[in-house]
Amino acid sequence: MSTPVTTTVNILDKDYRISCPEPEQAALIEAARHLDHTMREIRNGGKVIGIERIAVLAALNITHEMLRSGMQTSTQNKQAQEQINSLLDRLDGALKDNHELDL
């Protein structure tokens, strides 16, 4: 296992020191940037007051994005699998026809 490293991330002008495995450090920094950006968009919209409410709305927005992306990926995987199955059926049919001609 890799040794944990402490990384400082800044979210809404506040620093947070977070420990994570070294290979995950870049992903942690990117996640913090995404969260900071989302929270700033909500805050700058002016309709939500309070850091806690902004954080909850940001978490909901990010979770919604993640779930929607997962559903799209699932649909794409299903479509790809259907295309693969169709191609396999066509290939099986062609091989069967070719085998019958050889007999």
Side-chain angles (χ1 to χ4, degrees):
M1 274 179 71
S2 70
T3 306
V5 294
T6 300
T7 303
T8 302
V9 296
N10 185 284
I11 301 170
L12 281 185
D13 303 320
K14 185 171 181 181
D15 288 336
Y16 296 89
R17 292 176 48 92
I18 301 170
S19 180
C20 71
E22 190 171 3
E24 298 295 321
Q25 186 176 21
L28 170 65
I29 292 168
E30 184 61 30
R33 283 185 187 142
H34 183 63
L35 177 59
D36 180 63
H37 176 76
T38 303
M39 289 179 71
R40 286 179 187 280
E41 283 183 335
I42 292 168
R43 182 187 67 187
N44 294 341
K47 295 182 181 180
V48 180
I49 298 173
I51 191 76
E52 191 173 291
R53 287 178 181 259
I54 291 171
V56 168
L57 285 176
L60 286 171
N61 288 340
I62 292 168
T63 301
H64 175 72
E65 290 170 7
M66 187 181 74
L67 291 173
R68 187 177 65 217
S69 173
M71 286 189 274
Q72 289 173 348
T73 300
S74 177
T75 299
Q76 290 169 343
N77 287 345
K78 183 178 178 185
Q79 290 171 343
Q81 188 60 49
E82 288 171 357
Q83 289 177 334
I84 290 169
N85 289 340
S86 174
L87 289 171
L88 287 173
D89 289 343
R90 289 175 55 195
L91 182 59
D92 285 343
L95 289 173
K96 182 179 177 186
D97 291 344
N98 190 32
H99 180 70
E100 289 174 356
L101 290 176
D102 289 342
L103 295 176

